[in-house]
Amino acid sequence: STFLSYLLSVLVSSNVIALQTLTEFFSRIKAEEEEETLLDAYSTPAKGSQKRALTTPEHPRSKRSTALLASPGLLLSPASFSPSTTPSQKYSQRSGKGEVVVTFGAVQGTRWVGRKNPGAGVQLELLEGPEDSLHCSYKYMFQRLRDIRNVLTEKIEELGENLRTHFSIEEFSPVSLPAQVHELLGQVCCDSNGKLNAQSVLLEAGPEQGGQQVPVDLSELKEYSLFPGQVVVMEGMNTTGRKLVASKLHKGVPLPFYTSNIKMETDEEPMNVLVACGPYTPSDSLTFDPLLDLITIIVRDRPDVCLLLGPFVDSKHEQIEVESFYHIEALCFLVSSVGCRLVFVPSQRDIHHHFIYPQPPFTLPNLSKDQAQRVTLVPDPCTLLIDGVTFGVTSTDILFHMSAEEISCGTGSDRFSRILKHMLTQRSFYPLYPPVEEVNMDYEKFQSFGQMSLTPDVLIVPSELRYFVKDVVGCVCVNPGRLTKGQVGGTYSRLLIQSSNRSEDGKRVSPCLTAQVVKI
């Protein structure tokens, strides 16, 4: 109730929402609650209902109605604030509010505001279309080992064919065939259950190359960057058929960028995109103060598009037992009233959602027709097409997972850039195999919905690791950080996008004019 009370007071006082519109919103929720109460009267009590306290009211009111069904006047008063939640002291006393900690591109004279009519005319959709995207929940926990193996085999064969064509390789040799010099295609793996290191690298071939594993000696390679699950071509000597001494390493090549057939206006205003990732509460409190501060920024700057990534109700929060998701439904109503386009991306840390990867989108059946036009619910991962610009988005912390597994030598680049390049060249939102324990992978769905069909113009990869904005092989990669870092405030990101950004000679120029990471 603290969240809704304060948020509504901000928006009403800012003339963003009329009081009449607000009253209509709560009247709709009241009608829904009355319908639920009527249905409950005809339902059979659960077996455990006898254990409830005898002091339960005859006509109990749900948490939702308690928080939302008061009159607008009472709701917007300080008395309606929840007394059970204590604001985080460390968050309220944080320093550096609004400080820009990362800058990308030319930002001199930049105005971080949306267009004159925020969200108006913005074309936002899933790249693959609603029918070919993950748009609903599905049954999982029915995987067979051979099905997983088939998915991995197809990945090796598909990427292997691209490598063979790109590097003009006639054919790949079987891994167990003794030879002085030959080229082997396979997937990098570890010879034990421990972490990968330079002495434990194996190359596992697909069925066409024998399907066997061969140990790899990396001592002859001047530079390399490897991780479990990576599909590569290694050139070297294997005189006994039992060990490959690698002398050359061929890694993957990225896919082409999206090209739009629609001509955009050259004098069109740049599009302002705001990106934030949960958790939206400090770890020592259940108040949504960080999210309230973010909403205040949205009301002030009125960006054209807001990408909000989970977790919204964080399963890792120590104080969370049972929490409703009604504040998100209210958030859809309130933020859409500002005029911007709102995109929700779920997280496997969301306690109220499916714990599977790829993850289906949220379902919010109570959105009005106008809200549904401004609110887009997407899966994790996904590729969005916004005014002709592609955004690859995932809420899974692939950077953190791969940082713990990747090994390198002599590359001369930072680890973040290497991992991001691996994602783009392996053409996958999660190229690591096997995945970490906290990622429950459904491989058949992952084959259909977890791969990149092109190189995105912008790649959103939030992580526990340090925030950044980097250009990697022409793709602008953004880690906006998390809105809260433990008990203190975190960061969010904002980008200016010019969809018609092309050079005079027709060569591709990144549509991301500039970007920043800002402290909340």
Side-chain angles (χ1 to χ4, degrees):
S1 63
T2 304
F3 165 74
L4 289 174
S5 302
Y6 178 75
L7 180 55
L8 290 170
S9 64
V10 168
L11 295 177
V12 170
S13 63
S14 303
N15 296 322
V16 175
I17 299 179
L19 194 59
Q20 180 181 358
T21 305
L22 192 60
T23 305
E24 293 174 357
F25 173 68
F26 287 110
S27 297
R28 177 174 63 83
I29 290 189
K30 184 175 181 179
E32 293 173 5
E33 286 295 336
E34 290 174 351
E35 183 179 351
E36 290 177 8
T37 303
L38 179 62
L39 292 174
D40 289 341
Y42 288 93
S43 63
T44 303
K47 291 183 179 180
S49 61
Q50 293 88 341
K51 297 181 181 180
R52 286 182 173 271
L54 298 177
T55 56
T56 303
E58 183 179 356
H59 301 289
R61 300 181 71 181
S62 67
K63 291 182 179 180
R64 185 184 192 186
S65 58
T66 302
L68 297 177
L69 297 186
S71 65
L74 176 61
L75 182 70
L76 298 177
S77 67
S80 66
F81 284 10
S82 172
S84 61
T85 54
T86 305
S88 171
Q89 293 295 323
K90 287 191 176 181
Y91 177 79
S92 60
Q93 296 172 4
R94 71 193 186 280
S95 60
K97 300 177 184 179
E99 178 186 349
V100 177
V101 291
V102 171
T103 298
F104 173 85
V107 295
Q108 188 173 2
T110 300
R111 294 180 65 250
W112 293 100
V113 294
R115 297 167 181 169
K116 293 180 180 179
N117 297 315
V122 173
Q123 300 295 322
L124 192 155
E125 59 186 345
L126 288 164
L127 179 66
E128 296 82 6
E131 296 300 325
D132 297 325
S133 302
L134 183 58
H135 59 277
C136 62
S137 60
Y138 59 90
K139 293 182 179 180
Y140 42 90
M141 297 179 67
F142 295 97
Q143 292 188 103
R144 296 175 296 182
L145 290 177
R146 64 183 180 186
D147 294 333
I148 297 175
R149 179 61 189 171
N150 289 338
V151 171
L152 297 175
T153 297
E154 289 183 26
K155 180 186 77 169
I156 294 174
E157 292 176 350
E158 182 180 347
L159 291 177
E161 180 60 27
N162 293 322
L163 286 165
R164 189 189 66 80
T165 304
H166 183 77
F167 294 105
S168 302
I169 300 172
E170 290 187 8
E171 61 178 356
F172 300 115
S173 305
V175 295
S176 59
L177 179 67
Q180 290 292 329
V181 178
H182 59 173
E183 289 154 326
L184 303 179
L185 167 68
Q187 176 177 269
V188 175
C189 56
C190 184
D191 65 1
S192 66
N193 290 328
K195 290 188 177 181
L196 190 69
N197 58 58
Q199 284 71 44
S200 64
V201 175
L202 298 178
L203 188 67
E204 181 178 5
E208 292 186 2
Q209 288 78 40
Q212 296 177 324
Q213 296 178 338
V214 60
V216 180
D217 183 350
L218 302 174
S219 59
E220 297 295 322
L221 289 176
K222 294 182 179 179
E223 64 175 69
Y224 58 82
S225 174
L226 302 173
F227 65 91
Q230 182 182 10
V231 176
V232 297
V233 173
M234 289 187 177
E235 183 180 324
M237 297 176 59
N238 187 9
T239 54
T240 63
R242 297 180 180 178
K243 190 166 190 177
L244 171 67
V245 181
S247 59
K248 200 170 186 179
L249 178 65
H250 296 300
K251 294 179 285 188
V253 291
L255 289 161
F257 291 92
Y258 176 80
T259 54
S260 176
N261 297 325
I262 302 175
K263 292 185 178 180
M264 308 298 292
E265 297 292 335
T266 56
D267 57 347
E268 185 181 81
E269 289 182 85
M271 176 174 57
N272 187 2
V273 179
L274 183 144
V275 183
C277 179
Y280 294 92
T281 60
S283 61
D284 61 342
S285 172
L286 286 178
T287 59
F288 283 85
D289 290 344
L291 181 57
L292 298 175
D293 292 335
L294 182 69
I295 296 300
T296 303
I297 293 170
I298 294 174
V299 172
R300 181 194 68 195
D301 296 343
R302 294 177 176 256
D304 299 290
V305 179
C306 291
L307 291 175
L308 300 184
L309 296 86
F312 295 93
V313 183
D314 190 6
S315 61
K316 293 186 177 182
H317 198 295
E318 296 178 357
Q319 299 181 25
I320 285 184
E321 295 179 359
V322 178
E323 178 66 52
S324 71
F325 196 49
Y326 300 131
H327 61 279
I328 298 299
E329 182 179 340
L331 184 63
C332 293
F333 169 78
L334 298 168
V335 176
S336 63
S337 300
V338 177
C340 67
R341 297 293 299 270
L342 185 61
V343 180
F344 281 119
V345 185
S347 166
Q348 289 191 72
R349 287 169 55 178
D350 275 313
I351 198 170
H352 59 282
H353 202 46
H354 298 282
F355 187 55
I356 190 68
Y357 187 88
Q359 194 174 27
F362 293 132
T363 54
L364 296 175
N366 295 323
L367 295 181
S368 67
K369 183 177 180 180
D370 180 64
Q371 293 165 25
Q373 291 177 345
R374 292 188 176 274
V375 177
T376 305
L377 307 174
V378 299
D380 172 36
C382 67
T383 303
L384 294 169
L385 182 62
I386 308 178
D387 275 2
V389 179
T390 53
F391 285 72
V393 183
T394 180
S395 60
T396 303
D397 198 347
I398 180 61
L399 288 174
F400 188 81
H401 299 166
M402 286 185 64
S403 290
E405 300 291 341
E406 184 242 13
I407 61 171
S408 63
C409 175
T411 58
S413 60
D414 67 279
R415 173 160 294 195
F416 291 155
S417 296
R418 292 197 305 270
I419 293 173
L420 293 165
K421 188 174 181 180
H422 285 318
M423 292 179 64
L424 298 174
T425 56
Q426 295 290 302
R427 307 175 180 186
S428 172
F429 285 102
Y430 200 96
L432 185 65
Y433 178 82
V436 297
E437 290 184 0
E438 64 186 66
V439 174
N440 295 306
M441 182 79 73
D442 185 293
Y443 282 91
E444 290 187 285
K445 294 295 182 183
F446 176 67
Q447 186 180 30
S448 302
F449 305 115
Q451 310 301 317
M452 294 183 184
S453 57
L454 46 71
T455 298
D457 296 309
V458 180
L459 181 62
I460 307 297
V461 280
S463 174
E464 297 286 352
L465 302 177
R466 189 174 177 82
Y467 42 76
F468 61 78
V469 182
K470 294 178 179 293
D471 187 320
V472 180
V473 295
C475 173
V476 176
C477 304
V478 182
N479 172 15
R482 300 194 181 276
L483 203 65
T484 59
K485 296 285 287 186
Q487 299 179 15
V488 298
T491 55
Y492 67 95
S493 181
R494 53 191 183 187
L495 304 88
L496 278 186
I497 304 296
Q498 182 66 269
S499 54
S500 60
N501 196 21
R502 292 287 185 273
S503 63
E504 295 181 358
D505 56 0
K507 291 183 179 180
R508 179 187 177 275
V509 177
S510 174
C512 183
L513 299 178
T514 183
Q516 289 182 340
V517 177
V518 186
K519 286 186 177 182
I520 187 64

